[in-house]
């Protein structure tokens, strides 16, 4: 049963996976650090030792969360039977590389794609434990279709300049509610006088 921390745990899972694979693929020499980034972090890139995004880096930015329309009805049906409400969600992500040279950024982006294609299903030990995952829980990380207009709009809403990014989708992140309490059976007591 995934708890309310499942979205954050999914982001952490992706970042942990990227960092683990980056270290395996590039044991020596420069390698990027994957980070979970927010809009504020884009304005602070490499500006201080405490900046979240420091060169070289690969940022994982969640720009939207939506309800998964294909799984919503199925999980509602399960909830009707067992009394546990569930909502299946999709995390829309932008993966971007950061470095002083465009060639390096393209290499880091290529490396991130290689990792996410190889390990596109996050399950078991690949899921960050803070998500309160249940046995059998998994999250699929796949490329997303994002029209160029939408990508431009996403960056227009930010104060940072356009950044070469790849859209990804983490699905299905399911958040489970507390079980509905079952009503006590009604008993009739007959009193003889």
């Amino acid at each position: 049963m995934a708890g309310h921390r499942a979205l954050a745990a999914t982001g952490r899972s992706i970042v942990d996976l990227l960092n683990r694979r980056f270290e395996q693929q590039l044991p020596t020499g420069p390698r990027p650090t994957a980070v979970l980034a927010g809009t504020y972090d884009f304005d602070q890139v490499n500006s201080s030792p405490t900046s979240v995004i420091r060169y070289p880096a690969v940022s994982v930015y969640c720009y939207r969360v939506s309800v998964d329309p294909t799984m919503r009805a199925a999980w509602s049906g399960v909830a009707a039977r067992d009394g546990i409400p569930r909502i299946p969600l999709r995390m829309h992500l932008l993966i971007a590389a950061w470095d002083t040279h465009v060639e390096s950024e393209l290499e880091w982006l290529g490396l991130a794609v290689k990792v996410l294609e190889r390990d596109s299903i996050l399950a078991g030990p690949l899921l960050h434990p803070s998500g309160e995952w249940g046995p059998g829980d998994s999250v699929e990380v796949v490329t997303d279709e994002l029209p160029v207009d939408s990508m431009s709009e996403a960056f227009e809403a930010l104060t940072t300049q356009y950044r070469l990014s790849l859209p990804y989708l983490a699905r299905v992140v399911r958040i489970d509610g507390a079980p509905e309490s079952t009503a006590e059976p009604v008993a009739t007591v007959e009193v003889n006088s």
Side-chain angles (χ1 to χ4, degrees):
M1 244 192 244
H4 70 279
R5 293 184 176 95
L7 291 170
T10 298
R12 288 184 197 109
S13 300
I14 293 168
V15 165
D16 289 350
L17 171 68
L18 289 170
N19 283 322
R20 194 167 34 257
R21 297 295 185 251
F22 291 170
E23 187 172 347
Q24 291 170 351
Q25 295 284 321
L26 304 168
T28 60
R31 70 172 166 262
T33 300
V35 296
L36 196 56
T39 55
Y40 177 78
D41 301 317
F42 292 149
D43 295 333
Q44 307 298 317
V45 173
N46 227 38
S47 63
S48 76
T50 60
S51 297
V52 170
I53 302 173
R54 301 218 13 99
Y55 298 158
V58 170
S59 62
V60 177
Y61 169 60
C62 181
Y63 68 93
R64 181 175 169 226
V65 175
S66 64
V67 175
D68 189 302
T70 58
M71 297 302 296
R72 180 80 190 251
W75 282 114
S76 292
V78 173
R81 294 192 66 187
D82 68 8
I84 300 172
R86 297 169 180 89
I87 185 157
L89 301 172
R90 292 179 172 190
M91 291 177 67
H92 301 264
L93 308 167
L94 290 177
I95 310 293
W98 305 80
D99 207 318
T100 54
H101 296 78
V102 70
E103 294 89 358
S104 296
E105 290 181 346
L106 292 170
E107 286 180 18
W108 306 146
L109 202 53
L111 183 58
V113 169
K114 180 180 176 181
V115 169
L116 294 175
E117 284 300 308
R118 179 179 172 237
D119 294 306
S120 61
I121 305 288
L122 304 177
L126 292 180
L127 288 171
H128 195 276
S130 64
E132 302 167 9
W133 308 101
D137 281 346
S138 66
V139 175
E140 183 180 26
V141 182
V142 296
T143 56
D144 195 6
E145 290 298 319
L146 187 63
V148 176
D149 295 349
S150 297
M151 182 82 82
S152 296
E153 289 172 10
F155 276 95
E156 284 177 14
L158 300 171
T159 57
T160 190
Q161 293 184 5
Y162 177 80
R163 170 69 41 185
L164 179 62
S165 304
L166 274 169
Y168 269 82
L169 184 66
R171 65 180 182 201
V172 170
V173 181
R174 194 187 77 233
I175 296 179
D176 300 346
E180 296 292 321
S181 60
T182 55
E184 292 289 322
V186 177
T188 305
V189 178
E190 187 175 318
V191 178
N192 292 330
S193 28

